[in-house]
Amino acid sequence: TTFIGGTRVLFIFSSIMLIFIAASRRNALLIIISAINFIISIMIWLDFDANITAIMRITIAILAIIYYLKNDELLEDCKLSFVVQK
């Protein structure tokens, strides 16, 4: 018999929810991160090699850092324009 682990199913469900959240934000980096995360959840469910999923997780981390830095710059620009307009 095949056993489907609850943690794996939960990981797939959370990655699907992340896709909807990223699509509502309409940000390309978040959509790419959520798509890679969904692929990783399927690969973990199918017991793929850990090295492949580790490389993909590192890629997600790099993209998340880029998103954070890009978003932080946008917030600084908004703060500066608010101060200048005052």
Side-chain angles (χ1 to χ4, degrees), residues 39-80:
I39 292 169
I40 288 173
S41 67
I42 297 297
M43 290 175 72
I44 288 174
W45 187 49
L46 296 174
D47 289 330
F48 269 80
D49 188 22
N51 294 330
I52 297 169
T53 58
I55 292 170
M56 293 176 80
R57 288 179 188 178
I58 291 170
T59 305
I60 286 177
I62 292 170
L63 289 174
I65 291 170
I66 291 170
Y67 171 76
Y68 178 75
L69 293 175
K70 181 181 168 187
N71 197 21
D72 193 36
E73 289 175 5
L74 290 174
L75 289 175
E76 287 297 322
D77 289 342
C78 291
K79 288 178 185 175
L80 287 177

Side-chain angles (χ1 to χ4, degrees), residues 10-61:
L10 185 62
F11 187 36
I12 292 172
F13 176 74
S14 66
S15 65
I16 291 171
M17 293 305 297
L18 182 62
I19 289 173
F20 288 116
I21 292 169
S24 69
R25 293 270 184 143
R26 292 191 174 108
N27 189 309
L29 277 175
L30 288 180
I31 293 172
I32 291 169
I33 288 170
S34 63
I36 294 172
N37 193 32
F38 180 70
I39 292 169
I40 288 173
S41 67
I42 297 297
M43 290 175 72
I44 288 174
W45 187 49
L46 296 174
D47 289 330
F48 269 80
D49 188 22
N51 294 330
I52 297 169
T53 58
I55 292 170
M56 293 176 80
R57 288 179 188 178
I58 291 170
T59 305
I60 286 177

